[in-house]
């Protein structure tokens, strides 16, 4: 329905999102913000690292949804082509798969989707880190962690912290690590 709606549609396929890798360099840039929010961001970006290595043999996990948001914010960092794109429908093992007519020879449909083929990965991460820095300045998360975790953790060493049982609503002390 969306692809045939007549509105401008952009698609950022896996071939492009798989270039937006949360490398150690990227994680270090975020980690260097030295706040609880930055640590949480690094933890979230790293969450799927082992799975991507085991299942897809990626050394670093890619990010997908932020690429689509980046296209809305800065379409100039993408190289894309207007192609005819169809979605496989019906009772088929490929149902839901998108098919892009890159050779312009199988589809009788008009070109309906701007399909990204490349992204300037450096500029993408500059946008992402700039957004994270802006969020870091206004999020109440940093104050919450500093207020609620420091008072419980400052005077405890690592061994005591590991053994201590926290109330359910208390964040873990290692958020500051």
């Amino acid at each position: 329905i969306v692809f045939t709606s007549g509105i401008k549609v952009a698609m950022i396929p896996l071939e492009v999102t798989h270039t937006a890798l949360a490398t150690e360099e990227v994680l270090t840039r975020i980690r260097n913000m030295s706040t609880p929010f930055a640590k949480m961001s690094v933890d979230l970006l790293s969450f799927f690292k082992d799975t991507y290595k085991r299942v897809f043999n990626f050394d670093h996990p890619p990010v997908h949804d932020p690429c689509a948001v980046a296209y809305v914010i800065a379409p100039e960092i993408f190289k894309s082509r207007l192609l005819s794109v169809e979605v496989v429908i019906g009772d088929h093992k490929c149902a839901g798969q998108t098919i892009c007519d890159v050779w312009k020879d199988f589809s009788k449909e008009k070109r309906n989707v701007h399909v990204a083929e490349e992204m300037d990965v450096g500029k993408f991460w500059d946008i992402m880190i700039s957004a994270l820095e802006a969020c870091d300045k206004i999020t109440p998360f940093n104050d919450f962690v500093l207020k609620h975790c420091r008072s419980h953790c400052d005077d405890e060493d690592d061994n005591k912290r590991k053994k201590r049982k926290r109330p359910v609503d208390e964040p873990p002390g290692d958020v500051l690590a």
Side-chain angles (χ1 to χ4, degrees):
I1 293 173
V2 173
F3 286 167
T4 59
S5 68
I7 62 172
K8 180 180 179 182
V9 176
M11 183 173 86
I12 316 301
L14 291 174
E15 293 84 355
V16 173
T17 64
H18 280 171
T19 66
L21 303 176
T23 63
E24 193 53 43
E25 177 186 336
V26 168
L27 298 177
T28 297
R29 286 177 66 188
I30 299 166
R31 198 177 288 115
N32 285 343
M33 291 173 4
S34 300
T35 64
F37 177 78
K39 183 188 182 319
M40 178 191 65
S41 299
V42 168
D43 290 348
L44 289 170
L45 287 168
S46 301
F47 183 76
F48 290 106
K49 184 175 184 172
D50 293 338
T51 301
Y52 267 95
K53 181 63 177 172
R54 187 179 67 254
V55 177
F56 302 108
N57 201 30
F58 278 52
D59 290 328
H60 309 286
V63 296
H64 302 287
D65 295 349
C67 294
V69 174
Y71 185 89
V72 174
I73 295 168
E76 67 277 3
I77 71 169
F78 293 85
K79 176 184 170 200
S80 61
R81 279 199 292 171
L82 184 60
L83 299 173
S84 176
V85 179
E86 297 178 23
V87 179
V88 176
I89 56 174
D91 187 22
H92 191 277
K93 65 181 174 182
C94 294
Q97 180 178 5
T98 53
I99 301 173
C100 302
D101 187 1
V102 296
W103 305 112
K104 302 172 198 85
D105 61 2
F106 75 81
S107 178
K108 295 179 177 75
E109 300 294 323
K110 68 177 186 168
R111 297 178 192 170
N112 56 338
V113 178
H114 297 266
V115 179
E117 296 178 316
E118 292 178 29
M119 175 177 67
D120 184 324
V121 177
K123 288 182 181 175
F124 165 78
W125 281 112
D126 288 344
I127 291 168
M128 280 290 296
I129 291 170
S130 176
L132 288 170
E133 289 169 342
C135 289
D136 186 62
K137 289 177 183 173
I138 64 170
T139 182
F141 183 76
N142 289 327
D143 290 337
F144 175 85
V145 170
L146 294 173
K147 178 181 176 186
H148 294 285
C149 293
R150 278 255 160 94
S151 63
H152 296 289
C153 300
D154 279 348
D155 57 354
E156 297 178 0
D157 63 28
D158 287 338
N159 291 332
K160 287 181 184 176
R161 198 174 307 142
K162 289 176 186 173
K163 292 177 184 176
R164 179 170 61 98
K165 295 192 187 244
R166 294 184 305 269
V168 175
D169 61 345
E170 182 182 335
D174 65 351
V175 173
L176 296 172

